[in-house]
Amino acid sequence: MLITDIENALTDRLRRGLGEMVWDVTSYAGELDDDIGKIIHRLPGAWVTFGGIVKTEPYSLSRQKWKTTGRFVVVVGDYNTRNEESTRHGGTNLNEVGTNLLVESVRRLITGQDLGLKIKEFTPGRVRTLFNTSVEEKAVSVFACEFDTVWMENALENGRWPERSNSQDSPDVAFNVYRGELSDPYPDLLRVGMRYHQPGNPPADDPTDLVEVRKKEDGTNQG
């Protein structure tokens, strides 16, 4: 659930970093898709959402490792009772933050961070205007700030299903929980047989050896 982990980590960092610049930082749940007047009381505010996967490239010749570029979007908004310019520039009072400051602050907090996860540090992207409008005699300004990061994805071998496992750390834990088609794990490699051919001797006389690669879980040698 790396995508969910990234979204949650972004939300946490922005909530802690922005402090009292905003009422809250939450995961985006379509608040701006309906009547924007319904969210006036939650401004200034910020929302975090997953914007999709924008590029995937093979990382190994076997094509079982893929370099994946994902995009995340932070939406910031504010309102002002005076005019549209004030919603962006802010005002003399601390509660008149303005979206320009919010955009700069979000980029400052996110750019170059990996959030303690197995991802590449975030790179900043576009900042897009979503709304510059008036609602209930209030000027409203909303911007979307894009950030890209990169992580590695491991593909299944051709013909294999996700692996049967009881471990919560398995990358296939969801398939086990939801009873999808599964493949049994490959047997552990415990030992390797070796034969040393000496020129001039018949193959039947070649010395052999058995190298223990690992022990059984109980600590004894296999076989």
mmCIF file with all atom_site columns, all heavy atoms in Angstrom, residues 9-34:
data_model
loop_
_atom_site.group_PDB
_atom_site.id
_atom_site.type_symbol
_atom_site.label_atom_id
_atom_site.label_alt_id
_atom_site.label_comp_id
_atom_site.label_asym_id
_atom_site.label_entity_id
_atom_site.label_seq_id
_atom_site.pdbx_PDB_ins_code
_atom_site.Cartn_x
_atom_site.Cartn_y
_atom_site.Cartn_z
_atom_site.occupancy
_atom_site.B_iso_or_equiv
_atom_site.pdbx_formal_charge
_atom_site.auth_seq_id
_atom_site.auth_comp_id
_atom_site.auth_asym_id
_atom_site.auth_atom_id
_atom_site.pdbx_PDB_model_num
ATOM 1   N N   . ALA A 1 9  ? 1.674   10.154 4.598  1.00 0.00 ? 9  ALA A N   1
ATOM 2   C CA  . ALA A 1 9  ? 2.879   10.828 5.066  1.00 0.00 ? 9  ALA A CA  1
ATOM 3   C C   . ALA A 1 9  ? 2.910   12.293 4.608  1.00 0.00 ? 9  ALA A C   1
ATOM 4   O O   . ALA A 1 9  ? 3.358   13.174 5.344  1.00 0.00 ? 9  ALA A O   1
ATOM 5   C CB  . ALA A 1 9  ? 4.121   10.087 4.575  1.00 0.00 ? 9  ALA A CB  1
ATOM 6   N N   . LEU A 1 10 ? 2.443   12.549 3.399  1.00 0.00 ? 10 LEU A N   1
ATOM 7   C CA  . LEU A 1 10 ? 2.351   13.929 2.919  1.00 0.00 ? 10 LEU A CA  1
ATOM 8   C C   . LEU A 1 10 ? 1.387   14.739 3.792  1.00 0.00 ? 10 LEU A C   1
ATOM 9   O O   . LEU A 1 10 ? 1.678   15.875 4.193  1.00 0.00 ? 10 LEU A O   1
ATOM 10  C CB  . LEU A 1 10 ? 1.863   13.952 1.461  1.00 0.00 ? 10 LEU A CB  1
ATOM 11  C CG  . LEU A 1 10 ? 2.890   13.672 0.372  1.00 0.00 ? 10 LEU A CG  1
ATOM 12  C CD1 . LEU A 1 10 ? 2.195   13.487 -0.969 1.00 0.00 ? 10 LEU A CD1 1
ATOM 13  C CD2 . LEU A 1 10 ? 3.917   14.793 0.286  1.00 0.00 ? 10 LEU A CD2 1
ATOM 14  N N   . THR A 1 11 ? 0.250   14.153 4.081  1.00 0.00 ? 11 THR A N   1
ATOM 15  C CA  . THR A 1 11 ? -0.752  14.829 4.903  1.00 0.00 ? 11 THR A CA  1
ATOM 16  C C   . THR A 1 11 ? -0.193  15.158 6.282  1.00 0.00 ? 11 THR A C   1
ATOM 17  O O   . THR A 1 11 ? -0.364  16.279 6.791  1.00 0.00 ? 11 THR A O   1
ATOM 18  C CB  . THR A 1 11 ? -2.007  13.957 5.038  1.00 0.00 ? 11 THR A CB  1
ATOM 19  O OG1 . THR A 1 11 ? -2.546  13.688 3.737  1.00 0.00 ? 11 THR A OG1 1
ATOM 20  C CG2 . THR A 1 11 ? -3.069  14.642 5.888  1.00 0.00 ? 11 THR A CG2 1
ATOM 21  N N   . ASP A 1 12 ? 0.511   14.198 6.870  1.00 0.00 ? 12 ASP A N   1
ATOM 22  C CA  . ASP A 1 12 ? 1.071   14.412 8.195  1.00 0.00 ? 12 ASP A CA  1
ATOM 23  C C   . ASP A 1 12 ? 2.129   15.516 8.179  1.00 0.00 ? 12 ASP A C   1
ATOM 24  O O   . ASP A 1 12 ? 2.142   16.389 9.064  1.00 0.00 ? 12 ASP A O   1
ATOM 25  C CB  . ASP A 1 12 ? 1.675   13.104 8.710  1.00 0.00 ? 12 ASP A CB  1
ATOM 26  C CG  . ASP A 1 12 ? 2.314   13.268 10.084 1.00 0.00 ? 12 ASP A CG  1
ATOM 27  O OD1 . ASP A 1 12 ? 1.568   13.495 11.059 1.00 0.00 ? 12 ASP A OD1 1
ATOM 28  O OD2 . ASP A 1 12 ? 3.559   13.182 10.178 1.00 0.00 ? 12 ASP A OD2 1
ATOM 29  N N   . ARG A 1 13 ? 3.020   15.498 7.192  1.00 0.00 ? 13 ARG A N   1
ATOM 30  C CA  . ARG A 1 13 ? 4.083   16.514 7.144  1.00 0.00 ? 13 ARG A CA  1
ATOM 31  C C   . ARG A 1 13 ? 3.491   17.910 6.941  1.00 0.00 ? 13 ARG A C   1
ATOM 32  O O   . ARG A 1 13 ? 3.924   18.877 7.582  1.00 0.00 ? 13 ARG A O   1
ATOM 33  C CB  . ARG A 1 13 ? 5.083   16.194 6.035  1.00 0.00 ? 13 ARG A CB  1
ATOM 34  C CG  . ARG A 1 13 ? 6.219   17.223 5.958  1.00 0.00 ? 13 ARG A CG  1
ATOM 35  C CD  . ARG A 1 13 ? 7.327   16.785 5.039  1.00 0.00 ? 13 ARG A CD  1
ATOM 36  N NE  . ARG A 1 13 ? 8.347   17.820 4.924  1.00 0.00 ? 13 ARG A NE  1
ATOM 37  C CZ  . ARG A 1 13 ? 9.348   18.008 5.773  1.00 0.00 ? 13 ARG A CZ  1
ATOM 38  N NH1 . ARG A 1 13 ? 9.480   17.220 6.829  1.00 0.00 ? 13 ARG A NH1 1
ATOM 39  N NH2 . ARG A 1 13 ? 10.235  18.974 5.586  1.00 0.00 ? 13 ARG A NH2 1
ATOM 40  N N   . LEU A 1 14 ? 2.507   18.017 6.061  1.00 0.00 ? 14 LEU A N   1
ATOM 41  C CA  . LEU A 1 14 ? 1.915   19.330 5.814  1.00 0.00 ? 14 LEU A CA  1
ATOM 42  C C   . LEU A 1 14 ? 1.121   19.817 7.021  1.00 0.00 ? 14 LEU A C   1
ATOM 43  O O   . LEU A 1 14 ? 1.147   21.009 7.357  1.00 0.00 ? 14 LEU A O   1
ATOM 44  C CB  . LEU A 1 14 ? 1.016   19.267 4.576  1.00 0.00 ? 14 LEU A CB  1
ATOM 45  C CG  . LEU A 1 14 ? 1.750   19.126 3.242  1.00 0.00 ? 14 LEU A CG  1
ATOM 46  C CD1 . LEU A 1 14 ? 0.766   18.866 2.119  1.00 0.00 ? 14 LEU A CD1 1
ATOM 47  C CD2 . LEU A 1 14 ? 2.592   20.365 2.951  1.00 0.00 ? 14 LEU A CD2 1
ATOM 48  N N   . ARG A 1 15 ? 0.427   18.909 7.680  1.00 0.00 ? 15 ARG A N   1
ATOM 49  C CA  . ARG A 1 15 ? -0.336  19.314 8.864  1.00 0.00 ? 15 ARG A CA  1
ATOM 50  C C   . ARG A 1 15 ? 0.601   19.851 9.944  1.00 0.00 ? 15 ARG A C   1
ATOM 51  O O   . ARG A 1 15 ? 0.322   20.874 10.571 1.00 0.00 ? 15 ARG A O   1
ATOM 52  C CB  . ARG A 1 15 ? -1.145  18.123 9.384  1.00 0.00 ? 15 ARG A CB  1
ATOM 53  C CG  . ARG A 1 15 ? -2.044  18.465 10.569 1.00 0.00 ? 15 ARG A CG  1
ATOM 54  C CD  . ARG A 1 15 ? -2.826  17.254 11.014 1.00 0.00 ? 15 ARG A CD  1
ATOM 55  N NE  . ARG A 1 15 ? -3.835  16.888 10.041 1.00 0.00 ? 15 ARG A NE  1
ATOM 56  C CZ  . ARG A 1 15 ? -4.053  15.641 9.616  1.00 0.00 ? 15 ARG A CZ  1
ATOM 57  N NH1 . ARG A 1 15 ? -3.302  14.648 10.057 1.00 0.00 ? 15 ARG A NH1 1
ATOM 58  N NH2 . ARG A 1 15 ? -5.014  15.394 8.749  1.00 0.00 ? 15 ARG A NH2 1
ATOM 59  N N   . ARG A 1 16 ? 1.720   19.173 10.136 1.00 0.00 ? 16 ARG A N   1
ATOM 60  C CA  . ARG A 1 16 ? 2.671   19.606 11.141 1.00 0.00 ? 16 ARG A CA  1
ATOM 61  C C   . ARG A 1 16 ? 3.421   20.861 10.704 1.00 0.00 ? 16 ARG A C   1
ATOM 62  O O   . ARG A 1 16 ? 3.708   21.748 11.518 1.00 0.00 ? 16 ARG A O   1
ATOM 63  C CB  . ARG A 1 16 ? 3.656   18.477 11.436 1.00 0.00 ? 16 ARG A CB  1
ATOM 64  C CG  . ARG A 1 16 ? 3.004   17.258 12.079 1.00 0.00 ? 16 ARG A CG  1
ATOM 65  C CD  . ARG A 1 16 ? 3.894   16.035 12.014 1.00 0.00 ? 16 ARG A CD  1
ATOM 66  N NE  . ARG A 1 16 ? 5.151   16.238 12.727 1.00 0.00 ? 16 ARG A NE  1
ATOM 67  C CZ  . ARG A 1 16 ? 6.169   15.374 12.679 1.00 0.00 ? 16 ARG A CZ  1
ATOM 68  N NH1 . ARG A 1 16 ? 6.073   14.274 11.941 1.00 0.00 ? 16 ARG A NH1 1
ATOM 69  N NH2 . ARG A 1 16 ? 7.263   15.613 13.363 1.00 0.00 ? 16 ARG A NH2 1
ATOM 70  N N   . GLY A 1 17 ? 3.754   20.944 9.417  1.00 0.00 ? 17 GLY A N   1
ATOM 71  C CA  . GLY A 1 17 ? 4.566   22.055 8.926  1.00 0.00 ? 17 GLY A CA  1
ATOM 72  C C   . GLY A 1 17 ? 3.794   23.349 8.749  1.00 0.00 ? 17 GLY A C   1
ATOM 73  O O   . GLY A 1 17 ? 4.302   24.428 9.067  1.00 0.00 ? 17 GLY A O   1
ATOM 74  N N   . LEU A 1 18 ? 2.572   23.267 8.236  1.00 0.00 ? 18 LEU A N   1
ATOM 75  C CA  . LEU A 1 18 ? 1.790   24.481 7.987  1.00 0.00 ? 18 LEU A CA  1
ATOM 76  C C   . LEU A 1 18 ? 1.239   25.084 9.269  1.00 0.00 ? 18 LEU A C   1
ATOM 77  O O   . LEU A 1 18 ? 0.967   26.290 9.327  1.00 0.00 ? 18 LEU A O   1
ATOM 78  C CB  . LEU A 1 18 ? 0.647   24.180 7.017  1.00 0.00 ? 18 LEU A CB  1
ATOM 79  C CG  . LEU A 1 18 ? 1.060   23.833 5.590  1.00 0.00 ? 18 LEU A CG  1
ATOM 80  C CD1 . LEU A 1 18 ? -0.163  23.453 4.763  1.00 0.00 ? 18 LEU A CD1 1
ATOM 81  C CD2 . LEU A 1 18 ? 1.811   24.983 4.929  1.00 0.00 ? 18 LEU A CD2 1
ATOM 82  N N   . GLY A 1 19 ? 1.075   24.250 10.283 1.00 0.00 ? 19 GLY A N   1
ATOM 83  C CA  . GLY A 1 19 ? 0.612   24.770 11.562 1.00 0.00 ? 19 GLY A CA  1
ATOM 84  C C   . GLY A 1 19 ? -0.706  25.516 11.453 1.00 0.00 ? 19 GLY A C   1
ATOM 85  O O   . GLY A 1 19 ? -1.686  25.009 10.895 1.00 0.00 ? 19 GLY A O   1
ATOM 86  N N   . GLU A 1 20 ? -0.733  26.766 11.929 1.00 0.00 ? 20 GLU A N   1
ATOM 87  C CA  . GLU A 1 20 ? -1.956  27.545 11.959 1.00 0.00 ? 20 GLU A CA  1
ATOM 88  C C   . GLU A 1 20 ? -2.192  28.363 10.695 1.00 0.00 ? 20 GLU A C   1
ATOM 89  O O   . GLU A 1 20 ? -3.094  29.206 10.656 1.00 0.00 ? 20 GLU A O   1
ATOM 90  C CB  . GLU A 1 20 ? -1.942  28.463 13.188 1.00 0.00 ? 20 GLU A CB  1
ATOM 91  C CG  . GLU A 1 20 ? -1.939  27.690 14.505 1.00 0.00 ? 20 GLU A CG  1
ATOM 92  C CD  . GLU A 1 20 ? -1.919  28.607 15.712 1.00 0.00 ? 20 GLU A CD  1
ATOM 93  O OE1 . GLU A 1 20 ? -1.854  29.846 15.532 1.00 0.00 ? 20 GLU A OE1 1
ATOM 94  O OE2 . GLU A 1 20 ? -1.982  28.087 16.848 1.00 0.00 ? 20 GLU A OE2 1
ATOM 95  N N   . MET A 1 21 ? -1.409  28.078 9.635  1.00 0.00 ? 21 MET A N   1
ATOM 96  C CA  . MET A 1 21 ? -1.720  28.710 8.345  1.00 0.00 ? 21 MET A CA  1
ATOM 97  C C   . MET A 1 21 ? -3.059  28.211 7.807  1.00 0.00 ? 21 MET A C   1
ATOM 98  O O   . MET A 1 21 ? -3.730  28.915 7.045  1.00 0.00 ? 21 MET A O   1
ATOM 99  C CB  . MET A 1 21 ? -0.629  28.390 7.311  1.00 0.00 ? 21 MET A CB  1
ATOM 100 C CG  . MET A 1 21 ? 0.693   29.060 7.503  1.00 0.00 ? 21 MET A CG  1
ATOM 101 S SD  . MET A 1 21 ? 1.747   28.724 6.069  1.00 0.00 ? 21 MET A SD  1
ATOM 102 C CE  . MET A 1 21 ? 3.341   29.112 6.751  1.00 0.00 ? 21 MET A CE  1
ATOM 103 N N   . VAL A 1 22 ? -3.425  26.962 8.155  1.00 0.00 ? 22 VAL A N   1
ATOM 104 C CA  . VAL A 1 22 ? -4.645  26.350 7.629  1.00 0.00 ? 22 VAL A CA  1
ATOM 105 C C   . VAL A 1 22 ? -5.483  25.791 8.775  1.00 0.00 ? 22 VAL A C   1
ATOM 106 O O   . VAL A 1 22 ? -4.978  25.526 9.867  1.00 0.00 ? 22 VAL A O   1
ATOM 107 C CB  . VAL A 1 22 ? -4.309  25.206 6.636  1.00 0.00 ? 22 VAL A CB  1
ATOM 108 C CG1 . VAL A 1 22 ? -3.630  25.750 5.395  1.00 0.00 ? 22 VAL A CG1 1
ATOM 109 C CG2 . VAL A 1 22 ? -3.423  24.153 7.305  1.00 0.00 ? 22 VAL A CG2 1
ATOM 110 N N   . TRP A 1 23 ? -6.778  25.587 8.480  1.00 0.00 ? 23 TRP A N   1
ATOM 111 C CA  . TRP A 1 23 ? -7.639  24.947 9.467  1.00 0.00 ? 23 TRP A CA  1
ATOM 112 C C   . TRP A 1 23 ? -7.268  23.482 9.616  1.00 0.00 ? 23 TRP A C   1
ATOM 113 O O   . TRP A 1 23 ? -7.260  22.934 10.704 1.00 0.00 ? 23 TRP A O   1
ATOM 114 C CB  . TRP A 1 23 ? -9.103  25.068 9.038  1.00 0.00 ? 23 TRP A CB  1
ATOM 115 C CG  . TRP A 1 23 ? -9.687  26.425 9.282  1.00 0.00 ? 23 TRP A CG  1
ATOM 116 C CD1 . TRP A 1 23 ? -9.961  27.380 8.349  1.00 0.00 ? 23 TRP A CD1 1
ATOM 117 C CD2 . TRP A 1 23 ? -10.047 26.988 10.543 1.00 0.00 ? 23 TRP A CD2 1
ATOM 118 N NE1 . TRP A 1 23 ? -10.473 28.503 8.930  1.00 0.00 ? 23 TRP A NE1 1
ATOM 119 C CE2 . TRP A 1 23 ? -10.545 28.297 10.298 1.00 0.00 ? 23 TRP A CE2 1
ATOM 120 C CE3 . TRP A 1 23 ? -10.012 26.530 11.856 1.00 0.00 ? 23 TRP A CE3 1
ATOM 121 C CZ2 . TRP A 1 23 ? -10.989 29.130 11.308 1.00 0.00 ? 23 TRP A CZ2 1
ATOM 122 C CZ3 . TRP A 1 23 ? -10.464 27.364 12.866 1.00 0.00 ? 23 TRP A CZ3 1
ATOM 123 C CH2 . TRP A 1 23 ? -10.939 28.640 12.598 1.00 0.00 ? 23 TRP A CH2 1
ATOM 124 N N   . ASP A 1 24 ? -6.949  22.831 8.478  1.00 0.00 ? 24 ASP A N   1
ATOM 125 C CA  . ASP A 1 24 ? -6.588  21.415 8.540  1.00 0.00 ? 24 ASP A CA  1
ATOM 126 C C   . ASP A 1 24 ? -5.993  20.995 7.201  1.00 0.00 ? 24 ASP A C   1
ATOM 127 O O   . ASP A 1 24 ? -6.139  21.690 6.189  1.00 0.00 ? 24 ASP A O   1
ATOM 128 C CB  . ASP A 1 24 ? -7.815  20.551 8.848  1.00 0.00 ? 24 ASP A CB  1
ATOM 129 C CG  . ASP A 1 24 ? -7.433  19.167 9.377  1.00 0.00 ? 24 ASP A CG  1
ATOM 130 O OD1 . ASP A 1 24 ? -6.223  18.922 9.580  1.00 0.00 ? 24 ASP A OD1 1
ATOM 131 O OD2 . ASP A 1 24 ? -8.335  18.340 9.578  1.00 0.00 ? 24 ASP A OD2 1
ATOM 132 N N   . VAL A 1 25 ? -5.299  19.842 7.214  1.00 0.00 ? 25 VAL A N   1
ATOM 133 C CA  . VAL A 1 25 ? -4.813  19.189 5.996  1.00 0.00 ? 25 VAL A CA  1
ATOM 134 C C   . VAL A 1 25 ? -5.413  17.793 5.989  1.00 0.00 ? 25 VAL A C   1
ATOM 135 O O   . VAL A 1 25 ? -5.216  17.028 6.938  1.00 0.00 ? 25 VAL A O   1
ATOM 136 C CB  . VAL A 1 25 ? -3.277  19.097 5.970  1.00 0.00 ? 25 VAL A CB  1
ATOM 137 C CG1 . VAL A 1 25 ? -2.813  18.453 4.660  1.00 0.00 ? 25 VAL A CG1 1
ATOM 138 C CG2 . VAL A 1 25 ? -2.638  20.473 6.143  1.00 0.00 ? 25 VAL A CG2 1
ATOM 139 N N   . THR A 1 26 ? -6.156  17.450 4.944  1.00 0.00 ? 26 THR A N   1
ATOM 140 C CA  . THR A 1 26 ? -6.824  16.153 4.879  1.00 0.00 ? 26 THR A CA  1
ATOM 141 C C   . THR A 1 26 ? -6.648  15.538 3.502  1.00 0.00 ? 26 THR A C   1
ATOM 142 O O   . THR A 1 26 ? -6.207  16.201 2.555  1.00 0.00 ? 26 THR A O   1
ATOM 143 C CB  . THR A 1 26 ? -8.330  16.281 5.174  1.00 0.00 ? 26 THR A CB  1
ATOM 144 O OG1 . THR A 1 26 ? -8.934  17.140 4.188  1.00 0.00 ? 26 THR A OG1 1
ATOM 145 C CG2 . THR A 1 26 ? -8.581  16.851 6.562  1.00 0.00 ? 26 THR A CG2 1
ATOM 146 N N   . SER A 1 27 ? -6.998  14.263 3.397  1.00 0.00 ? 27 SER A N   1
ATOM 147 C CA  . SER A 1 27 ? -7.021  13.592 2.101  1.00 0.00 ? 27 SER A CA  1
ATOM 148 C C   . SER A 1 27 ? -8.208  14.114 1.300  1.00 0.00 ? 27 SER A C   1
ATOM 149 O O   . SER A 1 27 ? -9.311  14.283 1.841  1.00 0.00 ? 27 SER A O   1
ATOM 150 C CB  . SER A 1 27 ? -7.136  12.078 2.302  1.00 0.00 ? 27 SER A CB  1
ATOM 151 O OG  . SER A 1 27 ? -7.187  11.407 1.056  1.00 0.00 ? 27 SER A OG  1
ATOM 152 N N   . TYR A 1 28 ? -7.988  14.387 0.024  1.00 0.00 ? 28 TYR A N   1
ATOM 153 C CA  . TYR A 1 28 ? -9.039  14.970 -0.806 1.00 0.00 ? 28 TYR A CA  1
ATOM 154 C C   . TYR A 1 28 ? -10.150 13.959 -1.051 1.00 0.00 ? 28 TYR A C   1
ATOM 155 O O   . TYR A 1 28 ? -9.904  12.809 -1.428 1.00 0.00 ? 28 TYR A O   1
ATOM 156 C CB  . TYR A 1 28 ? -8.466  15.428 -2.141 1.00 0.00 ? 28 TYR A CB  1
ATOM 157 C CG  . TYR A 1 28 ? -9.485  16.092 -3.034 1.00 0.00 ? 28 TYR A CG  1
ATOM 158 C CD1 . TYR A 1 28 ? -10.027 17.331 -2.687 1.00 0.00 ? 28 TYR A CD1 1
ATOM 159 C CD2 . TYR A 1 28 ? -9.908  15.488 -4.210 1.00 0.00 ? 28 TYR A CD2 1
ATOM 160 C CE1 . TYR A 1 28 ? -10.957 17.949 -3.499 1.00 0.00 ? 28 TYR A CE1 1
ATOM 161 C CE2 . TYR A 1 28 ? -10.842 16.103 -5.030 1.00 0.00 ? 28 TYR A CE2 1
ATOM 162 C CZ  . TYR A 1 28 ? -11.367 17.328 -4.668 1.00 0.00 ? 28 TYR A CZ  1
ATOM 163 O OH  . TYR A 1 28 ? -12.295 17.937 -5.468 1.00 0.00 ? 28 TYR A OH  1
ATOM 164 N N   . ALA A 1 29 ? -11.397 14.384 -0.829 1.00 0.00 ? 29 ALA A N   1
ATOM 165 C CA  . ALA A 1 29 ? -12.553 13.499 -0.984 1.00 0.00 ? 29 ALA A CA  1
ATOM 166 C C   . ALA A 1 29 ? -13.618 14.141 -1.859 1.00 0.00 ? 29 ALA A C   1
ATOM 167 O O   . ALA A 1 29 ? -14.814 13.969 -1.628 1.00 0.00 ? 29 ALA A O   1
ATOM 168 C CB  . ALA A 1 29 ? -13.122 13.139 0.384  1.00 0.00 ? 29 ALA A CB  1
ATOM 169 N N   . GLY A 1 30 ? -13.177 14.893 -2.866 1.00 0.00 ? 30 GLY A N   1
ATOM 170 C CA  . GLY A 1 30 ? -14.117 15.485 -3.808 1.00 0.00 ? 30 GLY A CA  1
ATOM 171 C C   . GLY A 1 30 ? -14.784 16.746 -3.324 1.00 0.00 ? 30 GLY A C   1
ATOM 172 O O   . GLY A 1 30 ? -15.800 17.162 -3.887 1.00 0.00 ? 30 GLY A O   1
ATOM 173 N N   . GLU A 1 31 ? -14.213 17.389 -2.303 1.00 0.00 ? 31 GLU A N   1
ATOM 174 C CA  . GLU A 1 31 ? -14.844 18.583 -1.745 1.00 0.00 ? 31 GLU A CA  1
ATOM 175 C C   . GLU A 1 31 ? -15.049 19.679 -2.797 1.00 0.00 ? 31 GLU A C   1
ATOM 176 O O   . GLU A 1 31 ? -16.037 20.410 -2.752 1.00 0.00 ? 31 GLU A O   1
ATOM 177 C CB  . GLU A 1 31 ? -14.009 19.145 -0.591 1.00 0.00 ? 31 GLU A CB  1
ATOM 178 C CG  . GLU A 1 31 ? -14.006 18.299 0.670  1.00 0.00 ? 31 GLU A CG  1
ATOM 179 C CD  . GLU A 1 31 ? -12.955 17.213 0.655  1.00 0.00 ? 31 GLU A CD  1
ATOM 180 O OE1 . GLU A 1 31 ? -12.368 16.968 -0.415 1.00 0.00 ? 31 GLU A OE1 1
ATOM 181 O OE2 . GLU A 1 31 ? -12.725 16.621 1.718  1.00 0.00 ? 31 GLU A OE2 1
ATOM 182 N N   . LEU A 1 32 ? -14.125 19.808 -3.736 1.00 0.00 ? 32 LEU A N   1
ATOM 183 C CA  . LEU A 1 32 ? -14.206 20.885 -4.726 1.00 0.00 ? 32 LEU A CA  1
ATOM 184 C C   . LEU A 1 32 ? -15.029 20.504 -5.946 1.00 0.00 ? 32 LEU A C   1
ATOM 185 O O   . LEU A 1 32 ? -15.241 21.334 -6.834 1.00 0.00 ? 32 LEU A O   1
ATOM 186 C CB  . LEU A 1 32 ? -12.799 21.287 -5.166 1.00 0.00 ? 32 LEU A CB  1
ATOM 187 C CG  . LEU A 1 32 ? -11.870 21.770 -4.046 1.00 0.00 ? 32 LEU A CG  1
ATOM 188 C CD1 . LEU A 1 32 ? -10.478 22.039 -4.596 1.00 0.00 ? 32 LEU A CD1 1
ATOM 189 C CD2 . LEU A 1 32 ? -12.430 23.020 -3.393 1.00 0.00 ? 32 LEU A CD2 1
ATOM 190 N N   . ASP A 1 33 ? -15.483 19.262 -6.010 1.00 0.00 ? 33 ASP A N   1
ATOM 191 C CA  . ASP A 1 33 ? -16.270 18.823 -7.161 1.00 0.00 ? 33 ASP A CA  1
ATOM 192 C C   . ASP A 1 33 ? -17.731 19.236 -7.042 1.00 0.00 ? 33 ASP A C   1
ATOM 193 O O   . ASP A 1 33 ? -18.466 19.224 -8.028 1.00 0.00 ? 33 ASP A O   1
ATOM 194 C CB  . ASP A 1 33 ? -16.194 17.299 -7.303 1.00 0.00 ? 33 ASP A CB  1
ATOM 195 C CG  . ASP A 1 33 ? -14.775 16.828 -7.585 1.00 0.00 ? 33 ASP A CG  1
ATOM 196 O OD1 . ASP A 1 33 ? -13.986 17.656 -8.075 1.00 0.00 ? 33 ASP A OD1 1
ATOM 197 O OD2 . ASP A 1 33 ? -14.475 15.652 -7.323 1.00 0.00 ? 33 ASP A OD2 1
ATOM 198 N N   . ASP A 1 34 ? -18.169 19.578 -5.850 1.00 0.00 ? 34 ASP A N   1
ATOM 199 C CA  . ASP A 1 34 ? -19.551 19.983 -5.631 1.00 0.00 ? 34 ASP A CA  1
ATOM 200 C C   . ASP A 1 34 ? -19.630 21.503 -5.510 1.00 0.00 ? 34 ASP A C   1
ATOM 201 O O   . ASP A 1 34 ? -18.915 22.222 -6.181 1.00 0.00 ? 34 ASP A O   1
ATOM 202 C CB  . ASP A 1 34 ? -20.091 19.290 -4.369 1.00 0.00 ? 34 ASP A CB  1
ATOM 203 C CG  . ASP A 1 34 ? -20.084 17.772 -4.508 1.00 0.00 ? 34 ASP A CG  1
ATOM 204 O OD1 . ASP A 1 34 ? -20.402 17.301 -5.611 1.00 0.00 ? 34 ASP A OD1 1
ATOM 205 O OD2 . ASP A 1 34 ? -19.748 17.082 -3.525 1.00 0.00 ? 34 ASP A OD2 1
#
